[in-house]
Amino acid sequence: MIRFILLQNRQGKTRLAKYYIPLEDSEKHKLEYEVHRLVVNRDPKFTNFVEFRTHKVIYRRYAGLFFSMCVDITDNELVYLESIHLFVEILDHFFSNVCELDLVFNFHKVYLILDEFILAGELQETSKKAIIERMAELERQE
Amino acid sequence: MRGLSVFISDIRNCQNKEQERLRVDKELANIRTRFKNEKGLSVYEKKKYVWKMLYIYMLGYDVDFGHMETVALISAAKYAEKQVGYIVTSCLLNENHDFLRLAINTVRNDIIGRNETNQCLALTMVGNIGGKDFSESLAPDVQKLLLSSSCRPVVRKKAALCLLRLFRKNPDVVNVDGWSDRMSQLLDERELGVLTAVMSLLVALVANNPDGYWNCVPKCVRILERLTRSQDIPQEYTYYGIPSPWLQVKTMRALQYFPTIEDPNTRRSLFEVLHRILMGTDVVKNVNKNNAAHAVLFEALALVMHLDAEKEMMSQCVAILGKFIAVREPNIRYLGLENMTRMLLVTDVQESIKRHQAQIITSLKDPDISIRRRALDLLYGMCDVTNAKDIVEELLQYLTTADFGIREELALKAAILAEKFAPDLLWYVDVILQLIDKAGDFISDDIWYRVVQFVTNNDDLQAYAALKARDYMSKPAVHETMVKVGGYLLGEYGHLLARTPGCTPKEIFSIIHDKFSTVSISTKALLLSAYIKLLMHSQPSDPDLQEQIWRVFKRFEGNIDAEVQQRAVEYFALSRKGPAMVDIIAEMPKFPERQSALLKKTEDAEGDAAELSATRLRVQQQSSNAIVVVSQPSSNGSMFAGPLARTTSTPLDMNGELALTVTTMGQPQQTPSQSAAPVTADLLGDLLAPLAIEAPPAVSSPSELVSEQSSGDSSALALLDSTPSLQPIGSIKDWFHTLCFKDSGVLYEDPYIQIGLKAEWRAHQGRVTLFLGNKHVGALGTVRAVILPPAHLRMHLSTVPDTIPPRAQVQCPLEIINLQASRDLAVLEFSYSYGNVPVNVNLRLPIILSKFLQGVPLSPADFVSQWRALTGPPLKLQEVVRGVKPLTILEMSGLFSSIHITVAPGLDPNPNNIVAGTVFTSEARKTLCLVRIETDPSDRTQLRLTVASSDGVVSLELKEFIKEQLLDDSSTQQQMVAGPVSSGLSGPAAALAGLF
């Protein structure tokens, strides 16, 4: 199960944070700080997995942005790693050529997309097409 | 949304953190004022402000207002507002926020309403942050949506995952009998989005109850066939040409929860699929495709291991993994190492894995700590007598260059392996001394105690060990642990080196004394013992050496540390006896034969214990951080998800009170680690132990010495006796305590097992189900659960299986009948072993008096007549309780309702008093109990408690029970003074008091 997803830039600014377990605010902030510190200095030649407390962080870097998912120790690392990539592809498609600024100014859209992609800490939909169409449908409603 | 964009730009343009804070504060102030006069707020503005709040929150600022407004948006009529309300609520609040409860009705209306968009919003929020309350009130509606044929897939997949969340919060919402068929039908779903969601749900259900969903096995296998053969897979569900790797992985994960697959046809089809995956996965250039394909492959490997495939297939797996651990690609190498380690646990492949030893050692030196950790784990797991020497020497060599992140674990593992698989004891001594030399900071006392024991018990080791100790001690900078072990060994066996050049007693003394000034006081005490031993061995003594040592003793006879002082004085006196002291201060005896079995046991247990303590250390570090919500299952789907135990706030904020009762309820529970703790305290006793054994009674030793002897003796025993134990992940006391007020939650958890508990109470009967969940990838053996019932309960525990399979959960119902009122507690003696490490815990069961109480509302007439009818002890008992936790009347009512005593509000005219009623049920009868509390508003730490019932025992026990709940644990002296309180009663209360 995915415990939380973080999107942070190299300076550690959080661009998106989604928690699937109940945490207090102070804990969230502490954890965002720790995860950033954990991943930011890792060599690109290293694995994309780091043990973190009792869990494991699967992360991937795209330009200046780190996408991190905290999952259970027993979870399948690679499949989550590719979930990150799928999410990035969806964002890329939605914003046509996504960059950090898109995510900053449209953070509310990013939350919407994420909610179509992951729910209750599990993958909800793995078809890019289905999600993009769904987003279009929601935009028509607004 | 322009206002939002402007705000974000402003923030981005801030030069520094200070400016940003100012801008944020300004915005928050603005939003706060705007929310205050809500009337003037347009829809657009409301949305804008709530989004801004989320943005500010994301930046890391506290947003402690506006929750109400956000939650209120959920009930807005317009989609745009509702959407913002739902999304921002999901981010700002968590399941423990009270505001969320306010929304339950609206959310339910959205779920059962006909508007599909609203259904989706509601399901999403509940799926992401729904708690137990939601579980109870929404599960049936969510199930309906999942099963409905008229709902679109977009709703049904959300319903499936929403139900998964609700199930994790409360497994009762899915009834196995009704659901296994439905799950099986749901697996026929063609739409892959829905199927993916359903599969996640299935994994959780099966993990919780592997026997309940047999009928799903063939369906899962068919899904796998469909995917691996790419039959009927829409293009959009392939990922770089691979049919949904996510669904493939999930399906194979689900299959791993079934103990085995018996049906030959299904088994055959499954193996065909697995074979195809194992053989058909090649390395490709495209990273994403490669990852996805390998994700599937690794899951297939795990499934093959689980299914206990034939030898041939297993060695195929090892071959594949062997290839992986040699590749450059770090992720694949990491996973190769990780999966090899897992493989060691489940199958007999040690020999084929050994062939890769050299390769694994290379990974131990990888720059990436993630890989190093995996390599270390694997080396540790694959070590046995044949390769121990190589592996341990490799670890030792690495220790000097290893970084701090891994050193501790490395040192512990090396020590364990050296002891467990030592080909000869000389080597063992070498290894441990090297370890202490290279990583003294990470060597626990247990490790050096061990080496001393070995040396003491093996004559041919003693001279060697002393020589080694001398060499290490002669180095210029020596770790304190080395000084301890070196000082001890040289004191004890230094004389065996007499013929070696440079080892005269005098030289040895100067080697040791060189370090004396740099060590801590407790080590100094140990060295004093070494000195007298030196003196004793060199009888008739060299006057020069004697003079030097005496000077040291003299210098410390006034030391501020009592232990050092005592030793200095006594040793000085003893040493003046000359040769006669040989009779008193003899050499350490061997550990007596009768203890050898114990010694053996300690050997094994301690060997693994260090590993456990390594784990324990990590666990402790981790659990000090807040994210480890203790009851979160660490593996997929184990039950009691969520913060049942820890973070749930009770409606009234009673956490304080709950906490305080812990200490007063029964014996304070000792955690296993505490019971093992005394060992570390003073080993110095060991040195004195021979005094006790050897000293002839005729010798007039100071009386202190006698007491010293016995304590020394006992601590030597304690050393042998201590079974090192595993640390629970959290506090047993807290869990127990939470369960006193709740009927389900965690009773105990350590890295291997989680014991959950669920209780139902009906009158004098109770049914408690223990859920024993193996969290680990290996089976847990010799599981024993014994109930020690107190006299007032009749208890029957159904059979507990001897082993718990990997990642499985076993349920054990326990029937309880209450015979009498009593505050005694039942204890569960629970033990299991993991590998050959035995773990024993004694857990108090939260079957407290209040479980057999049922609150009753009282009418004034009933109360007064009953109250009057019961007069004086033993039926009516009164006590003034001091040192109670100061509570308001409201809080106290809350406390009462949590222990099933119903307060009758307004019945007592004095607002500072409470009267309440409850019925206590035992097998024989029901007893109505009345309670009155009179508080003193000027001093909330004292009150008068009166309990009345028609049964003296019940009155007494209930009074004591309530008292325990009320007492403040901070007041160490819990004074109880019988008799009336004179103060504070006047007016109507006084009149009523007269009546009482």
Side-chain angles (χ1 to χ4, degrees):
Chain A
M1 175 195 170
I2 303 171
R3 309 264 143 179
F4 58 82
I5 298 174
L6 296 178
L7 236 134
Q8 298 167 307
N9 70 8
R10 281 175 59 192
Q11 290 75 43
K13 281 246 185 310
T14 304
R15 296 307 182 200
L16 173 115
K18 187 82 180 168
Y19 294 86
Y20 299 99
I21 47 170
L23 294 176
E24 294 304 315
D25 291 352
S26 53
E27 295 162 13
K28 290 182 183 173
H29 295 151
K30 186 162 168 230
L31 206 141
E32 284 161 26
Y33 172 77
E34 282 180 29
V35 169
H36 173 254
R37 254 199 1 192
L38 195 64
V39 300
V40 74
N41 288 324
R42 281 179 59 88
D43 192 297
K45 288 198 289 282
F46 285 1
T47 54
N48 295 91
F49 325 129
V50 214
E51 278 147 50
F52 175 63
R53 301 183 183 178
T54 45
H55 295 94
K56 220 174 239 193
V57 168
I58 314 293
Y59 73 97
R60 207 155 173 170
R61 182 176 162 176
Y62 292 87
L65 275 186
F66 288 91
F67 288 70
S68 307
M69 277 185 186
C70 180
V71 301
D72 293 339
I73 287 284
T74 48
D75 278 336
N76 185 313
E77 293 88 347
L78 285 175
V79 96
Y80 283 108
L81 186 60
E82 287 316 296
S83 309
I84 294 179
H85 187 72
L86 179 58
F87 184 51
V88 173
E89 283 190 359
I90 294 165
L91 293 175
D92 198 48
H93 206 283
F94 182 81
F95 291 108
S96 33
N97 238 334
V98 69
C99 66
E100 189 179 341
L101 275 190
D102 290 323
L103 305 183
V104 172
F105 283 98
N106 299 291
F107 71 97
H108 48 308
K109 297 277 180 213
V110 184
Y111 278 105
L112 270 181
I113 296 173
L114 186 61
D115 276 348
E116 294 298 324
F117 181 49
I118 285 166
L119 180 58
E122 303 290 345
L123 241 39
Q124 178 191 172
E125 180 56 81
T126 59
S127 155
K128 206 192 318 179
K129 181 166 158 254
I131 293 178
I132 296 292
E133 282 173 7
R134 171 76 181 155
M135 287 304 293
E137 194 182 323
L138 290 179
E139 296 215 317
R140 281 196 298 276
Q141 296 242 2
E142 278 185 37
Chain B
M1 202 170 278
R2 209 171 145 268
L4 182 61
S5 299
V6 169
F7 172 63
I8 294 173
S9 299
D10 280 1
I11 292 286
R12 284 179 56 79
N13 290 334
C14 290
Q15 300 291 321
N16 52 43
K17 195 80 195 158
E18 197 39 45
Q19 281 186 8
E20 182 186 290
R21 173 170 288 283
L22 286 172
R23 181 66 187 88
V24 165
D25 285 345
K26 187 178 143 200
E27 194 63 41
L28 285 176
N30 175 36
I31 299 173
R32 204 189 291 259
T33 22
R34 295 307 305 266
F35 275 155
K36 265 193 190 140
N37 5 347
E38 210 183 323
K39 290 234 171 65
L41 235 48
S42 72
V43 173
Y44 175 85
E45 283 173 316
K46 264 192 227 165
K47 267 170 50 187
K48 182 176 72 182
Y49 291 136
V50 171
W51 279 127
K52 278 184 184 172
M53 272 167 40
L54 177 57
Y55 192 77
I56 291 171
Y57 179 72
M58 216 162 63
L59 288 174
Y61 295 92
D62 288 337
V63 177
D64 46 10
F65 68 97
H67 292 173
M68 191 66 167
E69 285 78 3
T70 311
V71 174
L73 279 181
I74 290 177
S75 33
K78 277 215 181 105
Y79 166 71
E81 285 172 77
K82 209 182 231 322
Q83 185 208 48
V84 181
Y86 269 119
I87 293 183
V88 179
T89 302
S90 315
C91 293
L92 290 185
L93 303 187
N94 70 42
E95 67 187 55
N96 303 318
H97 278 89
D98 288 337
F99 276 135
L100 214 50
R101 289 202 191 94
L102 302 177
I104 289 190
N105 263 332
T106 318
V107 174
R108 176 155 194 267
N109 287 335
D110 282 340
I111 286 178
I112 57 178
R114 309 219 157 216
N115 184 323
E116 185 197 71
T117 323
N118 292 350
Q119 283 175 338
C120 287
L121 285 174
L123 288 171
T124 305
M125 188 186 82
V126 177
N128 286 338
I129 59 164
K132 214 173 164 183
D133 305 334
F134 282 83
S135 243
E136 278 150 13
S137 43
L138 297 180
D141 303 316
V142 175
Q143 288 170 2
K144 242 177 255 162
L145 291 183
L146 171 59
L147 299 168
S148 151
S149 52
S150 57
C151 283
R152 280 207 302 156
V154 71
V155 179
R156 295 182 55 220
K157 66 192 178 192
K158 288 182 166 60
L161 292 176
C162 184
L163 184 60
L164 168 59
R165 167 94 183 190
L166 301 181
F167 172 76
R168 281 179 178 152
K169 294 295 154 194
N170 178 8
D172 286 347
V173 300
V174 174
N175 173 327
V176 180
D177 293 340
W179 268 86
S180 60
D181 288 341
R182 287 183 186 150
M183 283 311 290
S184 165
Q185 281 160 24
L186 284 167
L187 293 176
D188 290 331
E189 175 68 47
R190 303 308 289 173
E191 216 277 336
L192 290 180
V194 178
L195 194 53
T196 308
V198 166
M199 198 57 84
S200 290
L201 176 61
L202 179 68
V203 169
L205 295 177
V206 182
N208 188 38
N209 184 348
D211 296 324
Y213 295 89
W214 278 111
N215 51 351
C216 296
V217 173
K219 300 272 173 84
C220 289
V221 174
R222 214 159 310 140
I223 291 168
L224 270 184
E225 284 185 298
R226 176 183 163 198
L227 289 165
T228 48
R229 293 202 177 118
S230 293
Q231 287 167 341
D232 179 27
I233 308 292
Q235 169 65 31
E236 53 177 302
Y237 283 99
T238 58
Y239 181 77
Y240 290 88
I242 300 167
S244 181
W246 294 278
L247 183 53
Q248 291 197 47
V249 165
K250 269 285 176 220
T251 313
M252 288 192 273
R253 186 52 65 106
L255 286 169
Q256 287 168 56
Y257 283 102
F258 294 99
T260 175
I261 293 170
E262 269 151 14
D263 175 54
N265 287 331
T266 313
R267 198 173 160 93
R268 196 171 53 242
S269 317
L270 180 57
F271 272 106
E272 271 170 35
V273 169
L274 291 171
H275 192 78
R276 200 170 320 133
I277 297 173
L278 292 191
M279 293 295 101
T281 310
D282 295 318
V283 177
V284 290
K285 263 213 159 139
N286 181 296
V287 177
N288 301 304
K289 180 170 183 167
N290 202 39
N291 283 344
H294 282 85
V296 173
L297 176 59
F298 277 111
E299 203 63 45
L301 283 168
L303 183 53
V304 171
M305 289 182 229
H306 170 76
L307 290 172
D308 268 337
E310 313 83 83
K311 258 244 143 69
E312 195 193 341
M313 200 162 191
M314 283 298 189
S315 47
Q316 257 177 24
C317 291
V318 180
I320 293 174
L321 291 175
K323 220 169 61 193
F324 287 163
I325 61 169
V327 299
R328 294 256 306 273
E329 213 284 290
N331 289 339
I332 303 291
R333 189 141 48 95
Y334 173 97
L335 293 170
L337 293 165
E338 180 177 66
N339 282 279
M340 254 194 193
T341 315
R342 285 188 192 157
M343 200 150 191
L344 277 173
L345 294 172
V346 288
T347 48
D348 186 25
V349 288
Q350 194 115 0
E351 287 311 310
S352 30
I353 288 182
K354 271 192 203 164
R355 264 179 264 140
H356 302 285
Q357 192 169 314
Q359 192 59 51
I360 301 165
I361 287 173
T362 327
S363 284
L364 188 63
K365 293 157 187 162
D366 195 275
D368 182 355
I369 185 146
S370 297
I371 290 192
R372 289 200 300 271
R373 284 226 162 90
R374 290 299 113 237
L376 177 57
D377 271 4
L378 178 52
L379 283 173
Y380 178 73
M382 65 190 277
C383 191
D384 62 16
V385 199
T386 63
N387 56 11
K389 228 168 162 161
D390 294 342
I391 290 184
V392 171
E393 264 149 35
E394 205 56 60
L395 297 184
L396 280 175
Q397 204 191 1
Y398 174 46
L399 194 58
T400 29
T401 50
D403 50 46
F404 276 95
I406 199 168
R407 239 182 226 207
E408 177 169 358
E409 209 179 326
L410 198 59
L412 279 163
K413 289 196 160 155
I416 295 161
L417 293 178
E419 180 171 339
K420 227 168 152 181
F421 302 116
D424 63 81
L425 287 172
L426 296 183
W427 179 78
Y428 166 75
V429 171
D430 275 348
V431 169
I432 300 298
L433 291 178
Q434 273 190 65
L435 267 180
I436 296 174
D437 185 41
K438 288 176 173 170
D441 282 341
F442 302 116
I443 300 299
S444 65
D445 285 344
D446 296 339
I447 294 176
W448 82 263
Y449 294 173
R450 250 354 251 149
V451 80
V452 163
Q453 283 178 34
F454 270 115
V455 173
T456 311
N457 279 19
N458 291 279
D459 293 340
D460 37 356
L461 220 52
Q462 291 165 353
Y464 180 79
L467 189 63
K468 278 281 166 184
R470 191 203 70 138
D471 291 348
Y472 279 111
M473 288 286 277
S474 314
K475 289 186 174 186
V478 177
H479 192 273
E480 180 152 346
T481 306
M482 185 60 90
V483 177
K484 286 184 198 163
V485 70
Y488 189 106
L489 290 174
L490 286 174
E492 214 50 64
Y493 306 113
H495 64 282
L496 299 175
L497 304 177
R499 296 210 186 119
T500 319
C503 293
T504 62
K506 231 165 122 181
E507 281 162 314
I508 287 182
F509 171 75
S510 79
I511 289 172
I512 303 177
H513 200 59
D514 228 25
K515 314 291 181 231
F516 191 85
S517 58
T518 60
V519 295
S520 69
I521 200 78
S522 65
T523 307
K524 281 196 170 78
L526 189 148
L527 292 184
L528 291 183
S529 300
Y531 294 164
I532 191 146
K533 291 256 172 175
L534 276 180
L535 210 52
M536 182 268 293
H537 281 301
S538 60
Q539 287 299 330
S541 58
D542 171 351
D544 216 22
L545 175 67
Q546 181 165 310
E547 188 46 45
Q548 284 183 33
I549 292 179
W550 278 358
R551 255 206 312 269
V552 180
F553 289 159
K554 275 277 160 217
R555 209 175 98 211
F556 284 90
E557 69 183 13
N559 194 275
I560 189 155
D561 183 87
E563 178 68 34
V564 170
Q565 188 191 85
Q566 187 180 348
R567 286 189 190 205
V569 170
E570 285 170 4
Y571 290 167
F572 181 69
L574 284 170
S575 63
R576 293 180 71 106
K577 289 184 179 298
M581 80 173 154
V582 178
D583 295 332
I584 306 167
I585 307 164
E587 196 172 287
M588 256 319 250
K590 306 247 177 315
F591 288 92
E593 272 313 304
R594 63 183 163 83
Q595 288 180 350
S596 66
L598 260 179
L599 192 68
K600 177 79 185 72
K601 186 177 147 205
T602 324
E603 226 171 270
D604 293 345
E606 190 170 75
D608 292 61
E611 179 212 1
L612 296 179
S613 55
T615 336
R616 191 171 76 196
L617 284 168
R618 239 182 314 160
V619 169
Q620 277 171 344
Q621 284 164 0
Q622 286 151 353
S623 59
S624 68
N625 295 319
I627 181 176
V628 186
V629 179
V630 185
S631 46
Q632 286 292 339
S634 64
S635 65
N636 248 317
S638 88
M639 63 171 300
F640 295 117
L644 275 183
R646 271 287 171 86
T647 42
T648 322
S649 60
T650 30
L652 280 166
D653 179 23
M654 300 204 313
N655 292 339
E657 294 87 288
L658 299 189
L660 75 93
T661 50
V662 172
T663 44
T664 53
M665 232 185 284
Q667 299 288 318
Q669 186 92 6
Q670 274 219 325
T671 61
S673 74
Q674 282 171 331
S675 57
V679 183
T680 54
D682 95 330
L683 182 88
L684 303 169
D686 265 5
L687 277 171
L688 290 162
L691 293 172
I693 297 162
E694 305 266 315
V699 172
S700 59
S701 54
S703 63
E704 288 87 351
L705 201 59
V706 178
S707 64
E708 186 70 42
Q709 288 162 5
S710 52
S711 80
D713 224 12
S714 64
S715 78
L717 281 172
L719 173 65
L720 293 168
D721 209 11
S722 68
T723 354
S725 30
L726 198 66
Q727 186 83 353
I729 311 175
S731 152
I732 294 180
K733 213 160 81 179
D734 289 353
W735 288 321
F736 168 80
H737 195 258
T738 308
L739 284 170
C740 287
F741 299 92
K742 296 187 66 168
D743 283 333
S744 70
V746 173
L747 181 67
Y748 173 80
E749 182 167 3
D750 66 30
Y752 299 118
I753 199 162
Q754 182 188 56
I755 306 181
L757 178 149
K758 246 189 88 169
E760 291 166 66
W761 306 99
R762 192 169 303 129
H764 64 283
Q765 294 173 342
R767 188 186 163 89
V768 169
T769 311
L770 297 171
F771 295 85
L772 311 177
N774 180 353
K775 299 161 47 177
H776 218 68
V777 288
L780 301 180
T782 53
V783 179
R784 300 267 177 282
V786 178
I787 301 280
L788 309 176
H792 72 285
L793 296 176
R794 196 153 63 219
M795 303 174 81
H796 174 73
L797 179 67
S798 67
T799 343
V800 177
D802 190 58
T803 52
I804 308 177
R807 295 205 218 127
Q809 193 185 58
V810 178
Q811 301 186 5
C812 309
L814 166 67
E815 307 288 345
I816 298 145
I817 291 174
N818 177 34
L819 308 173
Q820 256 273 27
S822 166
R823 284 162 301 130
D824 292 342
L825 289 171
V827 170
L828 168 67
E829 275 188 359
F830 184 79
S831 62
Y832 70 92
S833 60
Y834 175 74
N836 50 5
V837 192
V839 180
N840 289 299
V841 279
N842 286 349
L843 303 165
R844 290 174 301 162
L845 292 175
I847 306 169
I848 54 174
L849 186 71
S850 62
K851 304 284 182 188
F852 305 105
L853 293 179
Q854 204 170 10
V856 280
L858 292 166
S859 72
D862 287 349
F863 185 83
V864 172
S865 65
Q866 289 285 344
W867 191 259
R868 277 192 173 146
L870 300 164
T871 47
L875 301 184
K876 188 189 267 179
L877 299 169
Q878 193 167 75
E879 181 172 326
V880 173
V881 187
R882 299 191 204 282
V884 299
K885 166 105 183 164
L887 297 175
T888 63
I889 291 296
L890 191 66
E891 286 166 332
M892 207 173 284
S893 307
L895 174 63
F896 273 173
S897 79
S898 75
I899 52 174
H900 307 144
I901 300 177
T902 302
V903 172
L907 206 150
D908 192 316
N910 184 336
N912 292 315
N913 295 351
I914 289 182
V915 292
T918 187
V919 171
F920 174 78
T921 317
S922 65
E923 194 181 36
R925 66 172 92 70
K926 288 177 182 262
T927 315
L928 176 69
C929 311
L930 305 174
V931 181
R932 184 174 192 232
I933 298 245
E934 295 150 279
T935 65
D936 176 0
S938 61
D939 179 7
R940 290 229 167 264
T941 63
Q942 62 171 14
L943 50 79
R944 184 163 71 173
L945 167 66
T946 316
V947 175
S949 81
S950 56
D951 180 335
V953 178
V954 175
S955 298
L956 177 69
E957 292 293 327
L958 182 62
K959 187 197 76 179
E960 293 299 315
F961 178 77
I962 294 174
K963 201 166 79 187
E964 285 170 356
Q965 311 302 315
L966 292 169
L967 280 176
D968 187 351
D969 62 345
S970 63
S971 70
T972 41
Q973 294 173 325
Q974 297 161 354
Q975 301 170 325
M976 321 300 159
V977 182
V981 211
S982 52
S983 65
L985 290 175
S986 62
L992 194 66
L995 175 75
F996 290 111

